[in-house]
């Protein structure tokens, strides 16, 4: 079985063919086109046939082309370096970071519609971009925002399912329970049971995905208010956009927090297909599980401390520094604390990444937000010091391929500053955001007819035998 060895290998291939710059320019041109059609579903219906033909041609013309080899290290090392998934909505470059349909985060901040001039991009705009590959107009984003508000209806049985859990249950446990309860109304499941033709699978998947994206902020806000605010629920505000409404339902009406939530949801929405939550969602959906089941499975992956739970761990670790050393920590004291953490067999949360080899652009844009709105915050200043202290120490260790901060290194400090101090809840915010990326790709999975995922596994004995045979031949 042969895969791309890495994104770098793919980049080299494009360079050899002399197509890299022209391809990027053409993609960028396509992305910045707009249309007056306000209906997202009709836009997709026009795009899908040409993309289906594109995939057929790709398979027919290049299906047997070998693009790299799998090593034993890759097999036993978490499949690092293998490229074995088709994921249309975003691509992660080790040096540049994430690109959403070819657009970097700074580019998205420039071209996607915002709630106000110079403001952060509206998540609805990113959803449109991920699904269509085109930058939407403000009118299209407003229409989509209105549609999501009409879909943001959560049945009573969902709240009952959540309420059946102890209030002490982790917020992610409650969140996944709520999503599973939403599955009762899955349009895909109903259509499949009635015998829908596979060429139409994308249509009920679209309905489920958009409803899911609309519903999860309501469920997530309910859980937050249930655990931390005596159960006093705040309803959807029909005048607010997706990010601002989520902030409002949580209980935060400061316009700056609305902007923060728009930024947070946008940059956490998608990070190509190989991370645990995205891959899990794709894997489960490949069995034709509906979007609710697939997304719930993805959330359980996101809840792991090596993935989405890391944003919780970062703030707790930073607060542990303050508790032991104080807010006015010196560089030496901070270095000593970092070494103490590492020598105890723990990691410094918020640093390193499985693919990135430079500072995460998602960290950078959050830092810019902090410099604009909260430059004197003590925890933000501590995060800035960590940026100077931690990478050289991790480099000195010699075991870390990427010593630079990732998205989790900053998000908790921003939320904490504006009053969302409950670190145990942070991964739920991540989960709400990730519904946009996972939901978008699931629609394309069904539209393109992607098959059941079934890689080959091996035993240590079979690896040993294979390697011995290869060495002797």
């Amino acid at each position: 079985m042969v895969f791309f060895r890495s994104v770098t290998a793919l980049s080299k291939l494009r360079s050899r063919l002399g197509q890299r710059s022209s391809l990027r320019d053409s993609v960028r041109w396509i992305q910045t086109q707009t249309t007056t059609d306000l209906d997202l579903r009709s836009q997709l219906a026009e795009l899908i046939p040409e993309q289906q033909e594109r995939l057929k041609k790709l398979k027919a013309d290049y299906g047997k082309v070998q693009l790299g080899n799998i090593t034993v290290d890759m097999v036993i090392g978490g499949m690092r370096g293998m490229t074995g998934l088709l994921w249309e909505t975003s691509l992660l470059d080790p040096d540049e970071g994430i690109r959403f349909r070819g657009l970097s985060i700074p580019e998205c901040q420039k071209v996607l519609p915002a709630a106000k001039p110079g403001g952060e991009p509206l998540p609805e705009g990113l959803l449109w971009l991920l699904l269509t590959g085109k930058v939407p107009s403000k009118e299209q984003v407003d229409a989509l925002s209105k549609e999501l508000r009409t879909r943001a209806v959560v049945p009573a049985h969902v709240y009952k399912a959540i309420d059946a859990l102890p209030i002490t249950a982790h917020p992610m446990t409650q969140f996944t329970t709520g999503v599973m309860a939403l599955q009762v109304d899955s349009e895909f499941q109903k259509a499949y049971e009635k015998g829908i033709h596979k060429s139409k699978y994308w249509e009920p998947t679209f309905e489920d995905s958009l409803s899911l994206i609309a519903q999860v902020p309501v469920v997530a806000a309910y859980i937050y208010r249930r655990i931390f605010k005596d159960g006093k629920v705040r309803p959807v505000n029909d005048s607010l956009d997706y990010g601002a409404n989520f902030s409002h339902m949580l209980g935060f009406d400061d316009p700056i927090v609305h902007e923060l939530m728009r930024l947070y949801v946008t940059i956490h929405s998608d990070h190509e297909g190989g991370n645990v939550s995205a891959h899990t969602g794709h894997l489960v959906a490949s069995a034709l599980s509906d979007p609710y089941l697939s997304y719930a499975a993805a959330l359980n992956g996101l809840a792991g401390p090596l993935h989405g739970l890391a944003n919780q761990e970062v703030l707790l670790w930073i607060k542990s520094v303050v508790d032991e050393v104080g807010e006015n920590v010196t560089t030496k004291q901070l270095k000593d604390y970092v070494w103490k953490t590492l020598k105890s067999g723990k990691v410094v949360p918020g640093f390193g990444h499985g693919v990135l080899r430079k500072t995460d652009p998602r960290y950078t844009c959050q830092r810019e937000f902090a410099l604009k709105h909260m430059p004197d915050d003590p925890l933000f200043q501590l995060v800035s010091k960590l940026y100077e202290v931690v990478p050289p120490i991790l480099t000195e260790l010699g075991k870390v391929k990427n010593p630079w901060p990732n998205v989790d290194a900053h998000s908790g400090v921003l939320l904490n500053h504006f009053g969302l101090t409950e670190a145990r809840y942070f991964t739920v915010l991540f989960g709400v955001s990730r519904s946009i990326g996972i939901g978008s790709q699931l629609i394309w999975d069904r539209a393109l007819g992607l098959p059941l995922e079934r890689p080959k596994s091996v035993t240590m004995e079979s690896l040993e035998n294979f390697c011995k045979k290869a060495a002797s031949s």
Side-chain angles (χ1 to χ4, degrees):
M1 187 180 294
V2 179
F3 297 84
F4 289 121
R5 289 197 62 172
S6 64
V7 175
T8 303
L10 179 58
S11 298
K12 289 180 179 178
L13 176 64
R14 286 175 174 167
S15 179
R16 287 198 302 269
L17 295 176
Q19 296 176 342
R20 187 171 185 179
S21 60
S22 61
L23 176 62
R24 178 174 291 180
D25 291 343
S26 65
V27 170
R28 187 67 45 80
W29 180 80
I30 293 171
Q31 288 171 329
T32 54
Q33 289 188 77
T34 59
T35 174
T36 57
D37 190 350
L38 302 182
D39 182 56
L40 180 57
R41 179 166 170 157
S42 65
Q43 282 277 296
L44 272 175
E46 291 180 10
L47 290 169
I48 285 171
E50 66 184 52
Q51 294 303 310
Q52 289 172 334
E53 289 303 313
R54 181 186 179 191
L55 184 63
K56 288 179 183 178
K57 180 173 173 52
L58 179 65
K59 186 173 181 179
D61 292 351
Y62 305 113
K64 304 302 180 184
V65 174
Q66 295 187 6
L67 297 166
N69 297 310
I70 296 172
T71 65
V72 173
D73 279 341
M74 292 175 179
V75 172
I76 65 179
M79 297 192 289
R80 298 293 176 96
M82 295 183 190
T83 300
L85 293 171
L86 184 64
W87 192 270
E88 285 293 280
T89 52
S90 63
L91 182 67
L92 181 59
D93 183 273
D95 295 318
E96 292 185 341
I98 194 66
R99 284 186 174 272
F100 302 117
R101 291 288 190 172
L103 297 178
S104 68
I105 287 176
E107 289 169 339
C108 285
Q109 288 177 303
K110 289 179 182 178
V111 302
L112 289 179
K116 63 178 183 179
E120 300 297 341
L122 291 163
E124 298 93 318
L126 184 73
L127 173 58
W128 189 290
L129 173 66
L130 295 183
L131 280 171
T132 68
K134 299 177 183 179
V135 174
S137 67
K138 183 62 164 60
E139 291 74 21
Q140 289 169 328
V141 169
D142 288 344
L144 179 54
S145 185
K146 182 178 180 181
E147 179 178 358
L148 291 174
R149 286 195 298 271
T150 63
R151 291 173 179 264
V153 178
V154 175
H157 72 263
V158 175
Y159 300 120
K160 291 179 181 178
I162 295 170
D163 290 342
L165 294 170
I167 200 168
T168 55
H170 194 281
M172 284 297 287
T173 303
Q174 299 189 42
F175 190 32
T176 305
T177 300
V179 172
M180 288 298 294
L182 286 170
Q183 190 274 340
V184 172
D185 295 321
S186 168
E187 292 297 326
F188 182 88
Q189 182 188 45
K190 294 174 185 175
Y192 188 82
E193 289 176 350
K194 291 179 181 178
I196 186 174
H197 191 275
K198 63 181 180 180
S199 65
K200 301 292 185 181
Y201 281 169
W202 77 267
E203 295 177 3
T205 300
F206 176 89
E207 295 301 322
D208 276 356
S209 294
L210 253 65
S211 293
L212 173 66
I213 291 167
Q215 291 166 320
V216 290
V218 181
V219 174
Y222 178 82
I223 292 166
Y224 179 76
R225 305 293 297 182
R226 176 180 187 247
I227 299 173
F228 304 111
K229 302 296 177 183
D230 299 322
K232 298 177 181 177
V233 179
R234 306 186 81 190
V236 172
N237 185 325
D238 285 336
S239 67
L240 295 176
D241 58 83
Y242 189 87
N245 234 324
F246 187 24
S247 176
H248 162 74
M249 289 186 288
L250 290 170
F252 300 94
D253 289 318
D254 184 339
I256 298 177
V257 184
H258 288 184
E259 279 288 273
L260 173 59
M261 196 59 68
R262 292 171 186 130
L263 175 65
Y264 185 102
V265 172
T266 297
I267 66 174
H268 285 81
S269 63
D270 202 28
H271 217 229
E272 74 168 29
N275 64 77
V276 171
S277 57
H279 186 195
T280 301
H282 171 81
L283 169 64
V284 174
S286 77
L288 294 186
S289 297
D290 64 63
Y292 290 98
L293 295 174
S294 304
Y295 173 68
L299 288 178
N300 286 325
L302 191 71
L306 293 183
H307 190 20
L309 202 71
N311 58 7
Q312 166 185 316
E313 300 299 308
V314 169
L315 184 62
L316 295 177
W317 185 84
I318 289 174
K319 287 187 174 181
S320 74
V321 176
V322 174
D323 290 342
E324 183 165 324
V325 186
E327 287 184 347
N328 298 317
V329 58
T330 65
T331 300
K332 183 181 184 306
Q333 288 174 320
L334 195 53
K335 285 182 179 179
D336 290 343
Y337 195 87
V338 170
W339 276 114
K340 177 183 175 181
T341 299
L342 294 171
K343 289 178 179 178
S344 68
K346 300 177 183 178
V347 299
V348 178
F351 286 79
H353 193 273
V355 176
L356 285 170
R357 295 296 174 260
K358 291 187 178 179
T359 299
D360 192 335
R362 298 173 299 173
Y363 171 95
T364 304
C365 70
Q366 289 182 100
R367 175 173 172 77
E368 291 169 353
F369 189 94
L371 286 169
K372 181 178 180 181
H373 297 290
M374 44 177 274
D376 298 324
D377 181 89
L379 293 186
F380 167 57
Q381 294 179 345
L382 179 53
V383 166
S384 298
K385 287 184 179 179
L386 286 169
Y387 186 47
E388 299 173 1
V389 167
V390 175
I393 292 176
L394 294 180
T395 301
E396 183 180 338
L397 280 176
K399 299 178 181 179
V400 179
K401 293 182 179 179
N402 173 26
W404 304 107
N406 58 48
V407 66
D408 298 317
H410 218 307
S411 56
V413 168
L414 289 171
L415 297 166
N416 184 81
H417 175 84
F418 290 104
L420 210 166
T421 59
E422 299 85 2
R424 293 181 80 235
Y425 185 78
F426 288 173
T427 311
V428 176
L429 300 175
F430 198 158
V432 169
S433 309
R434 193 48 62 92
S435 69
I436 291 176
I438 292 175
S440 297
Q441 182 59 41
L442 292 188
I443 294 169
W444 277 106
D445 286 351
R446 298 290 75 80
L448 296 173
L450 297 187
L452 176 71
E453 185 176 314
R454 180 48 171 98
K456 180 72 176 73
S457 64
V458 291
T459 64
M460 284 197 288
E461 181 181 10
S462 67
L463 277 178
E464 291 166 343
N465 292 338
F466 179 87
C467 293
K468 289 175 183 177
K469 184 177 180 180
S472 63
S473 62

